[in-house]
Amino acid sequence: MSASAQGLCDFIDASPSPFHVCATAARRLIDAGFIPLSEADAWPPSGRFFTVRAGSLVAWQGEANPHTPFRIVGAHTDSPNLRVKQHPDRMVAGWRMVALQPYGGAWLNSWLDRDLGLSGKLSIRAGRGIDHRLVRID
């Protein structure tokens, strides 16, 4: 990642949802030599690692030596947006609609003069399991 205004703009453009932010940051951490771990994995005592849960990412680097500093960085991505409600199917005045709710202090009037997109994580039934896919529709 470029430490510049353009690098920040590129990061923001690649990250329209908290899930995309974590995926973008994870790719950059892997490129920097970090190893992804599942929360269920045994975590080694030293090295450069990260884990992702939903829209949160935790990365750390350290050694198994009590006299060596342990560095940890945590991030919780909170993007103002409209979220699909848990039970989204609605019928209003004969129109089928998707029920939404604002999240994160969204300034709805700032969205009135632009096209909106759709982004996030879809959970899809796949055989006996569930696949998770990031989507972005501009």
Side-chain angles (χ1 to χ4, degrees):
M1 174 170 95
S2 169
S4 66
Q6 186 59 51
L8 175 61
C9 289
D10 292 344
F11 183 85
I12 291 170
D13 288 343
S15 308
S17 77
F19 306 106
H20 287 82
V21 169
C22 288
T24 301
R27 277 192 304 276
R28 291 179 180 198
L29 285 169
I30 290 168
D31 291 346
F34 282 73
I35 298 169
L37 292 177
S38 164
E39 291 180 66
D41 292 342
W43 290 6
S46 61
R48 302 170 78 186
F49 305 99
F50 70 93
T51 189
V52 176
R53 179 196 295 176
S56 298
L57 180 146
V58 177
W60 66 95
Q61 150 181 328
E63 295 180 27
N65 178 342
H67 303 293
T68 303
F70 187 81
R71 295 175 185 91
I72 186 168
V73 175
H76 169 76
T77 55
D78 217 10
S79 305
N81 57 60
L82 295 173
R83 292 200 172 175
V84 177
K85 288 188 173 185
Q86 187 173 7
H87 301 287
D89 294 333
R90 298 283 187 264
M91 185 68 83
V92 178
W95 289 87
R96 190 158 260 331
M97 302 181 78
V98 175
L100 304 173
Q101 63 187 20
Y103 177 82
W107 293 359
L108 301 178
N109 60 342
S110 69
W111 296 350
L112 295 176
D113 65 342
R114 64 192 76 208
D115 293 335
L116 296 180
L118 182 67
S119 66
K121 181 171 76 170
L122 277 179
S123 299
I124 301 169
R125 195 175 307 145
R128 294 182 177 248
I130 296 176
D131 282 346
H132 303 286
R133 298 181 190 162
L134 293 181
V135 295
R136 178 179 186 164
I137 301 169
D138 290 326

